[in-house]
Amino acid sequence: MHLLYPVVLSALLFCTGVYGVLARRNAVLVLMAVELMLNAVNLNLVAFDVWLRDTLHAGQALTLFTVTIAAAEIGLGLAIVLLLYRRRGTSSVDRLDELADRPDPPHPDQGAGPDPDADQDADPDARPAPDATSDDQPRKAAA
Amino acid sequence: MTPALAALVILLPFAAGTVGLLTGRLAPGLARPLAVLPTALSAALAVVLAVRIGSGQADFAAPLTPTGGWSAGRDMPISLAFHLDGLATLTAVLVGVVATCVQIYSTSYLRDDPRYRSYAAVVSFFTSAMLLVVLTGDLVVLMVGWEVMGICSYLLIGHHWEKRDARSASLKAFLVTKLGDVPFLFGLFLLAFDAGTFRIDGVLTAAVNGRIDHPTLAALLLLAGAVGKSAQFPLHTWLPDAMAGPTPVSALIHAATMVAAGIYLIARLHPVFLASGAALLVLAVLAAITMIGSALCALAQDDVKRVLAYSTVGQLGYMAGALACGDRDAAAFHLLTHGAFKALLFLSAGVLIHAAGTNSLAAMSRIRGLRHRAPDAFWCLTIGLLALAGIPPFSGFFSKDAVLAAAEHATSGTFHAPPTGDVTGLVVPAAAGWTVLLSGLLTALLTAAYATRLWLLAAGSPTPTLTLAAGADSGADSRPQPVENSADPQLTAHQPTHQPAHQPAHQEAADAAHEPPAQRWPLWALAVPSFALGLAGLNTHWLPALLDQVGLRPATTTAVPSLACAVLGVLAGWGAARARPGADPGRTLLGPLHAPAVRGFYVDAAYSLMFVRPVLGAARLARFLDADVVETYVRGTAATTRGAGAAVRRAQTGNIQTYLGVLLAGAVVIGILVVV
Amino acid sequence: MSGQSFLSTSGTEIAFVLVGIVALGAALLTVTTRQLVHAALWLVVALGALAVEYLLLTAEFVAWVQVLIYVGAVVVLLLFGLMLTRAPIGPSPDADSRHRPLAAAVAVAAAALLVTVVADAFRTTWITLRPGAGSAEANGIGLFRAWVLPFEALSVLLLAALVGAIVLSRRRAARPGVHEEADD
């Protein structure tokens, strides 16, 4: 078999995963796209291992390791997503912009007045909580 | 011995001033003795010096060697030199005597002034500087004394610096005289380079022998300085406003000494002027304009001191006119007599102002019995005014006549010879003579008229008090107070203090005190020369011997017309007062000219338009350029930086997908670049 | 998908290409569908197809591990995550953020770059497939001899992940929450 088949497939899968990471709004969907990318990498490793056939079986061993790490990562990632959902009431990635550098509020520019360049620390954005209250999701008001 | 005497005359007041400034706080009791005694001693030494020099001439010089050899290969050192002759020593005596009288007078007049110590010290410095100008024989040293006088004048006029009038008057005096001093400096240098030396005797010799290459230019430049210092047209505007200073200052500086320095300079360097007919003509025209204009203004002023100030300007015009006609001695004679009687007038006016509590003539005229409140001052004022008007046998008659005689000689082409050298090549234009003669006669008339007005309004009117009903003057704006016809003439009054202060002057005294002795004795001391100095000119062995040994007798051709003019003037003043009893005689006499005369014929307004407004406009323009143009760039820099920061800040969206997207796009671009 | 054809196509290759198309299609659907649960299910298809690919490449152990872990556990976790974050069941209108154009551009560019580079590099490389290289025995020998240290480290990693997940998902309130957690 030509090496190109698995390798090209892996590349395309990887890029699909990239698209998903950048384009999806829900955090869980982003994690799914990350899984796609990891799998693409796995395919690549296996293909090269089969081609090279080295004594260490490095490719397949590393593939197993990748799978394990991906599993651990998805567990933690989902824990984080759930924590976020509980605190902020949303799982949209683009609502999580606390670290943005907001522009100064407009002030009259008279001479060399002092420029209050305070970045706004954790400011409660009035975010509408998701649907009705549930029993196991006590919605806390902003951070 | 003689140079030591001369040096002492100059240094004693200087030392008094220095010690006074240094020990002012430590020994306040020393202030008055330090003010009076060294100056009196200096005056006494000046008398000794005058007697020693007599009619001769003496030059002493000590060149300052480091200053030599600096100019285009020529060796022109600056010397500490004395040039002593009759003119110098007599003027030194005048300065010393007037300064002593002023210092004695000030001990009482400024008794309550908190800054008396510094005032006395500055007056001493001033005296020393004037004596330096008078006695020195080196042009640069003269310049030093000239400038120190200017500084001291600034400090003294602005003595009451809490008042805005005093501050602006002192600045004005300083700036206007400086305007004349810059050409003066250039004139000095030109003169010295032409003559090859800074020594005055060297310059005079060169002038008489015709070695000055640019006499007209040098004379005109020097004239600028003299015009500024002696308050001639067009640089006369500072003198009336300088009356904002204390009255003894006006007596010293603006009557006898500082303004005389310009005249003295022209007299001292007279051969240079004689070498240029154009300069003499210019001087004559300026003198004529000054004389007539100032006499008209004096007739219209309401403030006593301003009348006297304009009078000083006019009398200096007389001296300038005499110099323009080539007669140095007549000018010197008038300088001496004018110094005496003008100082007398100012000091007596000071006592009267204190007694009346106001400067304003209109207000004074309504105080009954003022003459009884301050009798000595009244009589001295009378003597001074008689001398001013030129009534014989007072000194003013003789000296004014000497000036007119010089003018009359100039019209026929003859003039008194200068002390050194020959006279060929020195010409006085006849036009100068006619100008001075005619304007002098007219001024004599006007002088007598305003002297009479001053006497009538200030102290002498026996008629019922002048009311302000007929055309209120520019000053008082309240209804005239009804003055009680009190039987007691020695009223210490309160009513005059309701009058508001008049044009630039402020009220110098709120209490109406009697004359203390310290204010009385100087008056009488000055009254004597006002009376008698003229007679000293009659005998050729007395005063003229000290000058140029030419007679100072009155000549019939000029004495009769001048006396006639004086009497006419007195009659005009008296008649105007009688004709309209309630009104100011000056207003009656001047008619439509009254309003411009009060404002000094708008010369100040012209200056303001020509110089002050453009400078202020330029200052506003500069401020606009700095604040709105340059500052805009500065602020723009800040705004640009801030804007750039704001623009960059927009990249920090906080959205992680944005960050990742851009990151990966960059990585892809790099990859493509590497591959391709 | 590369349409290059070489004359020595074998059955393996055809199968590989066909399964690859399935995998790719499922992956594309995962990242583009608006229904969130469907995305998870398409992910299952994609991962399963990849397991078949591994089999075709004679890596049986990896294939079965893939099925076990990914399809069995990870997707289940994802589904639980979707459930607990109240993902809408039907099509959700805001499944895609506003970065779609940027994402598409980046993805396409990256794909072009990678495929070009790779095709240029491995144009004449063939794999010879020999079954047995990917058996459990071969993998076990490799793991427990050569890779035993990373293996042990990995177990520590898993322990850390376990602890971390528990800590993160604990509530402050006294209520006993549902344990959502990855077991391994």
Side-chain angles (χ1 to χ4, degrees), chain B residues 435-624:
Chain B
T435 316
V436 172
L437 183 62
L438 292 175
S439 54
L441 286 173
L442 180 58
T443 310
L445 198 153
L446 292 171
T447 305
Y450 72 69
T452 312
R453 168 182 178 256
L454 181 62
W455 189 80
L456 285 174
L457 288 179
S461 170
T463 59
T465 58
L466 289 157
T467 61
L468 291 177
D473 209 4
S474 56
D477 48 4
S478 56
R479 295 279 91 213
Q481 312 276 342
V483 179
E484 302 95 357
N485 207 343
S486 165
D488 182 10
Q490 299 271 12
L491 260 177
T492 59
H494 289 300
Q495 58 259 35
T497 57
H498 293 304
Q499 290 303 319
H502 282 262
Q503 288 151 354
H506 60 280
Q507 305 221 1
E508 291 187 320
D511 61 295
H514 302 296
E515 308 162 299
Q519 293 183 9
R520 240 186 305 148
W521 295 116
L523 292 181
W524 289 111
L526 285 172
V528 170
S530 304
F531 177 74
L533 197 54
L535 302 173
L538 286 177
N539 192 327
T540 45
H541 294 297
W542 297 345
L543 186 61
L546 298 175
L547 293 176
D548 282 338
Q549 300 175 351
V550 198
L552 287 173
R553 294 169 155 245
T556 328
T557 39
T558 48
V560 171
S562 72
L563 187 55
C565 288
V567 169
L568 262 178
V570 171
L571 287 176
W574 189 271
R578 278 297 173 114
R580 296 184 38 195
D584 183 2
R587 192 184 283 276
T588 317
L589 283 174
L590 282 177
L593 277 182
H594 181 80
V598 169
R599 283 167 198 78
F601 292 107
Y602 303 117
V603 177
D604 259 338
Y607 274 131
S608 166
L609 200 60
M610 280 197 299
F611 296 114
V612 175
R613 291 240 200 106
V615 170
L616 285 178
R620 268 196 295 275
L621 179 67
R623 191 181 61 194
F624 161 75

Side-chain angles (χ1 to χ4, degrees), chain A residues 21 24 94 96 100-101 111 115, chain B residues 635 642 649 652 654-655 657:
Chain A
V21 163
R24 295 300 236 175
D94 51 0
L96 308 171
D101 199 354
D115 200 7
Chain B
R635 267 187 261 127
R642 226 197 325 252
R649 209 184 287 129
Q652 304 295 320
N655 186 323
Q657 283 174 331

Side-chain angles (χ1 to χ4, degrees), chain A residues 2-106:
Chain A
H2 203 285
L3 182 59
L4 272 185
Y5 292 124
V7 172
V8 168
L9 174 63
S10 145
L12 292 172
L13 276 176
F14 185 83
C15 294
T16 312
V18 166
Y19 172 80
V21 163
L22 297 181
R24 295 300 236 175
R25 195 180 292 234
N26 194 313
V28 181
L29 293 177
V30 170
L31 285 171
M32 283 186 212
V34 172
E35 290 306 316
L36 271 178
M37 289 160 77
L38 286 167
N39 275 281
V41 168
N42 283 348
L43 180 59
N44 215 10
L45 280 170
V46 167
F48 275 95
D49 180 80
V50 170
W51 171 47
L52 286 173
R53 273 187 309 190
D54 57 333
T55 46
L56 279 182
H57 297 294
Q60 296 194 35
L62 284 174
T63 307
L64 293 171
F65 292 154
T66 310
V67 172
T68 316
I69 295 175
E73 168 242 333
I74 198 86
L76 277 173
L78 282 171
I80 293 175
V81 169
L82 285 174
L83 197 59
L84 268 175
Y85 181 79
R86 258 190 249 146
R87 290 273 166 86
R88 303 285 175 81
T90 175
S91 57
S92 293
V93 171
D94 51 0
R95 297 287 193 93
L96 308 171
D97 55 356
E98 298 304 313
L99 290 179
D101 199 354
R102 304 205 194 277
D104 302 328

Side-chain angles (χ1 to χ4, degrees), chain B residues 257-276:
Chain B
T257 47
M258 179 162 120
V259 296
I263 301 296
Y264 179 81
L265 175 88
I266 302 179
R268 169 59 74 224
L269 295 176
H270 205 216
V272 176
F273 286 86
L274 288 177
S276 155

Side-chain angles (χ1 to χ4, degrees), chain C residues 61-147:
Chain C
F61 186 63
V62 175
W64 291 121
V65 166
Q66 166 99 349
V67 171
L68 263 178
I69 307 294
Y70 268 119
V71 179
V74 168
V75 173
V76 171
L77 266 183
L78 286 169
L79 282 169
F80 265 104
L82 280 176
M83 174 191 86
L84 289 169
T85 58
R86 306 290 177 108
I89 299 296
S92 94
D94 58 348
D96 287 329
S97 73
R98 65 183 192 282
H99 294 102
R100 275 184 66 191
L102 173 67
V106 170
V108 166
L113 175 69
L114 282 172
V115 168
T116 313
V117 170
V118 153
D120 187 52
F122 299 112
R123 208 177 304 142
T124 55
T125 326
W126 270 270
I127 318 174
T128 38
L129 293 168
R130 251 192 287 131
S135 66
E137 184 188 352
N139 272 310
I141 294 173
L143 268 182
F144 291 105
R145 285 208 191 142
W147 298 93

